[in-house]
Amino acid sequence: MTVLQNIVLALVLFILQPTFLVGIALVFIAKSRRFKYARHQLRASIYKDHYELKRFFLWGLIPGAILSAVSFIAGLPVSLDWIIAYQIVTLLMLGFGYRFLHPVFTFSLSALLILVLGFFVPENMSVTVIVSQFNSPLIQGDSLSFQGLQPILALVILVLLSTILTLHIAKINQFTPRFLKTKRGKLVARYRMTPLWLIPLVVVVPGTTFTQLFDWWPVFSIGDQPYSFLILPVLIGFRYTVQAQMPTQAKNLLVKDFVSLSVIGVILFALTFWQVELAAVGLAVLLLGGVIVLYRHRLRERKWNFRFGPAEEGLRVVAVRPGSPAEKMDIEIGDTILESNQKKLESAEDFTESLFLSRSYCKLKIKRIDGELVMTETALYENDPHDLGVVLLEEISLVK
């Protein structure tokens, strides 16, 4: 077969893998739920574009190319049994939503499960006999098992580092508010953040298992050991709720915690060259550390007060439509509109009335979330929304 045919077939196999299909399904489900909720609760969608789909495919392209090159140059082989376990574990983790879709959880748990299988499951069991056909070092039940964990530990750390850079560089600025009532009956807004993206990771798989299944599969050899390539669809997902912090602040604190976790992971990986069994410890620490990072975020949200509740004076902004006059005026979620066209605001009706005072111009007095007072103004045009493109907490009525 030609090189082009091999590439096309490899891409087809990439698309047919469960993690890719599930990822696509999750993106469309998330988009559908967002539109349905916005029409139901907000009467109109805040974001009309399909940003979930763009994020899913675009965020992971450059990291995938870099990680694939590093994986190949560094020689980080992974076994077919681990790849299968990763697909299964990822599907099972969906039971917890997006929370544990990151490879810190899925890569680590898959490798540890295969390791346990090799040490504690009898050799004559059917599952062990099947897995033994995959030329896996993880089921040897000796030091070779821990050596097989080293590449996976390295991949977890590399993906974690790429996640830190992606979250640091990329902007998560699509905020659709959800509403609830506190114990005192006050209406407050919160934001459920569910970033999900795909990294196409080229991994090196030892053995001739692929050629036994597909005779056209390309194989190369290093010494007497044959290897194959596989493009693995790696899902990167989180889910965290923001109600006591600004979304950017919450993201930055999560990134800071992930940096600390990656440093610990790098140290443990370095120690595996001295004691190979520490590879299992490293994966377990990263797995537990990921849980701790998310728990620390939850504690921060519980300790602090609701950030997006009713303002003492003025009207609370809980969403801003992109491309609207409000966005041009640099209005942000959490801001309080105190005055509109020199009219003091006490209700959503006051805001609507103030906008009719001038059909071509608007001037607002804004109080930022940190207490700073700002005057902002803009010209209005015929096609601009009548509400400037802001969603106010005071105009929301909970719809069951």
Side-chain angles (χ1 to χ4, degrees):
M1 299 183 70
T2 65
V3 174
L4 179 60
Q5 288 174 319
N6 284 331
I7 293 175
V8 170
L9 289 171
L11 290 176
V12 170
L13 185 57
F14 170 78
I15 293 172
L16 292 178
Q17 290 181 64
T19 47
F20 181 86
L21 297 175
V22 167
I24 290 292
L26 289 175
V27 168
F28 281 100
I29 290 172
K31 179 181 71 70
S32 175
R33 286 181 175 177
R34 173 171 62 85
F35 276 100
K36 182 178 179 180
Y37 172 80
R39 289 193 299 266
H40 183 65
Q41 179 64 69
L42 305 176
R43 300 186 300 278
S45 177
I46 299 173
Y47 306 98
K48 298 185 182 301
D49 64 334
H50 306 289
Y51 67 82
E52 294 96 343
L53 197 60
K54 296 177 182 177
R55 177 190 296 168
F56 182 76
F57 284 110
L58 297 181
W59 277 21
L61 284 179
I62 295 177
I66 296 174
L67 294 182
S68 297
V70 171
S71 173
F72 175 73
I73 294 173
L76 302 175
V78 298
S79 58
L80 184 57
D81 58 339
W82 174 79
I83 293 172
I84 295 173
Y86 163 68
Q87 307 272 351
I88 296 173
V89 167
T90 299
L91 297 179
L92 293 176
M93 285 297 190
L94 288 175
F96 300 96
Y98 288 12
R99 289 184 185 87
F100 304 116
L101 281 188
H102 194 277
V104 162
F105 307 109
T106 54
F107 277 21
S108 302
L109 186 57
S110 303
L112 293 174
L113 287 175
I114 297 295
L115 180 70
V116 170
L117 179 69
F119 272 93
F120 298 104
V121 177
E123 294 184 3
N124 58 354
M125 284 192 65
S126 57
V127 65
T128 309
V129 173
I130 294 173
V131 172
S132 65
Q133 305 299 316
F134 297 151
N135 300 305
S136 172
L138 297 178
I139 61 166
Q140 302 297 322
D142 54 24
S143 62
L144 285 177
S145 300
F146 295 102
Q147 290 178 6
L149 292 179
Q150 278 183 305
I152 299 173
L153 176 59
L155 288 175
V156 173
I157 296 171
L158 289 172
V159 174
L160 180 58
L161 291 173
S162 78
T163 301
I164 293 169
L165 289 175
T166 300
L167 291 177
H168 178 71
I169 296 172
K171 293 182 179 180
I172 304 178
N173 51 11
Q174 295 89 6
F175 307 120
T176 299
R178 304 269 175 165
F179 303 98
L180 73 156
K181 285 193 173 182
T182 65
K183 294 179 180 179
R184 297 182 179 181
K186 292 184 178 181
L187 187 68
V188 297
R190 60 181 177 179
Y191 302 88
R192 183 178 297 168
M193 315 304 293
T194 55
L196 175 69
W197 67 99
L198 177 78
I199 289 183
L201 180 63
V202 178
V203 294
V204 179
V205 183
T208 58
T209 305
F210 284 116
T211 56
Q212 295 174 11
L213 299 173
F214 312 101
D215 56 3
W216 49 266
W217 200 269
V219 177
F220 68 98
S221 298
I222 299 178
D224 296 330
Q225 178 65 53
Y227 294 90
S228 302
F229 289 112
L230 177 69
I231 308 176
L232 182 67
V234 178
L235 291 181
I236 312 288
F238 296 104
R239 175 181 167 180
Y240 58 97
T241 300
V242 178
Q243 60 190 25
Q245 308 171 77
M246 292 298 289
T248 301
Q249 177 190 16
K251 185 194 75 171
N252 291 338
L253 289 174
L254 281 170
V255 167
K256 184 178 179 181
D257 286 345
F258 279 125
V259 169
S260 301
L261 183 61
S262 66
V263 170
I264 295 172
V266 169
I267 293 173
L268 289 172
F269 178 72
L271 292 176
T272 61
F273 293 97
W274 170 66
Q275 192 73 29
V276 70
E277 287 79 8
L278 288 175
V281 176
L283 289 172
V285 168
L286 289 176
L287 178 62
L288 179 61
V291 175
I292 293 174
V293 168
L294 296 181
Y295 183 68
R296 279 171 54 84
H297 166 78
R298 189 172 181 180
L299 286 180
R300 288 191 290 266
E301 288 293 317
R302 285 182 173 180
K303 288 181 180 179
W304 298 348
N305 296 325
F306 288 104
R307 182 64 63 95
F308 308 102
E312 295 181 0
E313 57 176 340
L315 307 176
R316 180 77 70 189
V317 176
V318 293
V320 178
R321 293 184 176 89
S324 65
E327 186 181 56
K328 297 174 184 176
M329 298 168 78
D330 293 325
I331 299 176
E332 301 176 351
I333 62 170
D335 287 348
T336 303
I337 305 178
L338 301 176
E339 296 180 5
S340 172
N341 291 330
Q342 299 183 338
K343 178 181 177 65
K344 189 175 181 180
L345 303 180
E346 297 180 357
S347 67
E349 289 75 17
D350 290 343
F351 181 61
T352 302
E353 293 175 3
S354 70
L355 295 178
F356 281 105
L357 297 176
S358 175
R359 299 294 184 92
S360 60
Y361 186 78
C362 181
K363 184 176 181 180
L364 302 178
K365 183 178 181 181
I366 303 295
K367 184 178 182 180
R368 301 294 190 192
I369 200 75
D370 59 1
E372 179 187 5
L373 294 178
V374 177
M375 300 297 295
T376 181
E377 53 191 356
T378 187
L380 299 179
Y381 300 95
E382 183 178 353
N383 294 327
D384 286 336
H386 69 279
D387 58 0
L388 299 183
V390 297
V391 178
L392 302 173
L393 180 66
E394 287 73 14
E395 65 180 351
I396 297 298
S397 297
L398 281 180
V399 179
K400 296 182 179 179

